[in-house]
Amino acid sequence: MDALLVSYGVEWLNLLVRWLHLITGIAWIGASFYFVWLDNSIRPPKPGSDLAKRGVSGELWAVHGGGFYNPQKYLVAPAELPEELHWFKWEAYATWLSGFAMLFIVYYFNASAMMINKDVADLNTWQAIGVGLGTLVVGWTVYDVLCRSPLGKREGLLGIIMYLFIVAAAYVLTHLLSGRAAYIHVGAMIGTMMVGNVLMVIIPGQRKLVEAMRAGKSPDPIYGKKAKQRSVHNNYFTLPVLFIMISNHYGMTYNHAYSWLILAAIIAAGALIRHFFNLRHAGRVSLGYPIAGVALLLAVAIAIAPRPIQPVAPVAAVAKADAAAGTTAAAAPTADIAHIQEIISQRCASCHSAQPTQPGFATAPAGMILQTSDQIRQHADKIYQQAVQLKAMPLANMTHITDEERALIGTWYAAGAK
């Protein structure tokens, strides 16, 4: 009962923190999209106009919510510091903090189930957690050093090198952690770069501008330029991070043998599509970018499409297993519901039951209960997809389902799942 209450409490914590993460993420991403759009959409004032004399580099008229708005951007700073100045920072901080909390709640609290796959790497719990946390530190350090180096002045080359670095990180992580954990840590690494930009570059730069004005000095425009650079980087990181946030629902990506390559293609597609919108807001329509992005996504979808699995004769499958074990079965299992239910009971029901016995689970994942023959038939499509096609379940194969048992499920499904 105590273990059940702990798991139930963790599940509620998961729900509430995930909700917070979603809310703050929407606020941060919305602000990021808006200000990049604004920067690309403002138009310079007429030469000699009052706005130009006041140092305004661009303005925009917009209508929203029944009112007219006239945002203006100064080339460096206004002549006088306003009494009230809004800072956009807590959206970023709250998103990262809630996301970091999610890592602990979902992955580190139950690392044996969510992070470790013995078929990938024989890690213990602390080693897996160390890999995860180390990824965040190394990712930000490498990115920040590159941005501060002379390479930071060559945006195109910097973008290519950072993309290759992220792909390399994905490759390493998919060879150390479970596919799902590898993906989420690539996303957490990118998210750490994004919040690091806000905390370590954008906000400090803005503070220096304000401090200079309060001291009656002319602000150094270099801080604004550096902040703008990191803000644009965050804008391009956004779509890949959003995909990774939802990737845990799609085992066809993270559980593939080449999951790192799939992620590389999807990240590239997201960046290309984002680039199209950034150019469009600046008045340039380049359809080649979204076409290339969609083509990449289509290529991935075709490449990882499930292939028909040839049913294996149950008797032959079991005979093969018996021969490997040096035993002879009294009666070979057949692909009927009774034997399928026995497999599901041994390999899946520890999580997928009304009262899960697997530590860390208070309720059945996705609400899918597989305790009766009717319930198994009801979810036959999902069982076949996750256990046979994708081999994504059981998680990290904690219950040691065999290839022969997967084949037996495939044979049962091909025969109509009766």
Side-chain angles (χ1 to χ4, degrees):
M1 178 58 70
D2 289 343
L4 177 61
L5 289 177
V6 169
S7 296
Y8 182 67
V10 170
E11 190 148 336
W12 263 102
L13 190 61
N14 185 340
L15 168 63
L16 296 176
V17 176
R18 190 182 296 269
W19 192 12
L20 173 64
H21 187 54
L22 180 63
I23 293 168
T24 56
I26 289 172
W28 184 17
I29 292 168
S32 172
F33 279 10
Y34 172 74
F35 278 105
V36 171
W37 169 83
L38 185 61
D39 269 349
N40 289 330
S41 300
I42 57 175
R43 298 295 179 260
K46 294 180 180 179
S49 65
D50 289 340
L51 290 179
K53 292 176 181 178
R54 286 176 14 219
V56 172
S57 62
E59 68 166 342
L60 176 100
W61 281 93
V63 60
H64 180 75
F68 291 90
Y69 295 80
N70 181 213
Q72 300 171 354
K73 181 178 180 180
Y74 286 79
L75 187 61
V76 179
E80 296 181 2
L81 187 66
E83 292 184 5
E84 294 186 10
L85 191 61
H86 183 80
W87 296 73
F88 288 86
K89 56 182 180 179
W90 287 110
E91 300 90 341
Y93 300 161
T95 300
W96 188 86
L97 288 171
S98 57
F100 192 63
M102 286 295 299
L103 283 180
F104 275 88
I105 295 167
V106 178
Y107 290 90
Y108 301 162
F109 180 76
N110 197 14
S112 61
M114 304 301 296
M115 296 186 70
I116 299 170
N117 186 341
K118 296 295 185 180
D119 294 334
V120 174
D122 189 13
L123 302 180
N124 61 39
T125 295
W126 290 110
Q127 287 173 332
I129 294 173
V131 169
L133 293 174
T135 298
L136 309 188
V137 175
V138 172
W140 162 253
T141 302
V142 171
Y143 166 69
D144 188 52
V145 168
L146 289 176
C147 286
R148 294 177 187 275
S149 73
L151 187 65
K153 298 178 181 179
R154 305 178 63 183
E155 285 294 329
L157 183 58
L158 175 63
I160 292 172
I161 290 176
M162 277 309 305
Y163 171 72
L164 294 176
F165 171 74
I166 292 170
V167 172
Y171 177 84
V172 171
L173 288 173
T174 55
H175 287 75
L176 291 175
L177 305 176
S178 68
R180 178 173 170 174
Y183 266 38
I184 207 68
H185 278 87
V186 173
M189 180 185 74
I190 299 174
T192 300
M193 295 175 187
M194 293 172 69
V195 79
N197 283 338
V198 177
L199 178 65
M200 306 298 290
V201 179
I202 296 174
I203 294 300
Q206 290 173 176
R207 290 192 187 282
K208 290 185 181 296
L209 293 176
V210 171
E211 289 169 2
M213 291 193 66
R214 285 175 176 166
K217 300 178 181 178
S218 178
D220 189 340
I222 188 62
Y223 298 114
K225 292 179 181 178
K226 289 181 178 179
K228 174 67 181 300
Q229 179 194 43
R230 300 296 183 102
S231 180
V232 171
H233 290 180
N234 282 1
N235 184 262
Y236 282 97
F237 284 147
T238 300
L239 292 189
V241 168
L242 286 174
F243 162 74
I244 293 172
M245 284 176 63
I246 64 172
S247 67
N248 63 91
H249 296 286
Y250 304 98
M252 60 188 177
T253 58
Y254 67 75
N255 207 57
H256 194 276
Y258 294 97
S259 56
W260 64 274
L261 195 56
I262 293 168
L263 185 57
I266 293 175
I267 288 175
L272 288 169
I273 292 169
R274 187 66 232 160
H275 189 56
F276 163 75
F277 283 102
N278 288 340
L279 291 178
R280 182 174 177 274
H281 298 328
R284 294 170 52 194
V285 177
S286 300
L287 292 177
Y289 292 107
I291 291 173
V294 172
L296 264 176
L297 295 176
L298 183 60
V300 169
I302 293 172
I304 68 174
R307 304 294 186 263
I309 296 177
Q310 296 299 324
V312 177
V315 174
V318 175
K320 178 182 176 183
D322 289 339
T327 61
T328 302
T334 55
D336 57 32
I337 188 61
H339 289 109
I340 297 304
Q341 186 174 357
E342 183 179 347
I343 294 172
I344 298 297
S345 177
Q346 291 178 350
R347 311 304 187 188
C348 310
S350 58
C351 293
H352 291 280
S353 63
Q355 294 182 328
T357 57
Q358 175 63 39
F361 292 87
T363 57
M368 188 185 298
I369 298 175
L370 304 173
Q371 291 181 289
T372 69
S373 57
D374 287 341
Q375 290 168 341
I376 292 170
R377 290 191 188 96
Q378 177 187 353
H379 298 293
D381 289 340
K382 280 291 185 182
I383 293 171
Y384 175 71
Q385 180 192 52
Q386 295 296 323
V388 181
Q389 284 186 318
L390 301 177
K391 295 186 178 181
M393 293 292 165
L395 277 173
N397 199 12
M398 292 184 297
T399 55
H400 309 292
I401 189 172
T402 66
D403 289 339
E404 287 71 28
E405 288 169 333
R406 294 186 194 274
L408 204 64
I409 294 172
T411 302
W412 166 73
Y413 182 82
K418 300 177 180 179

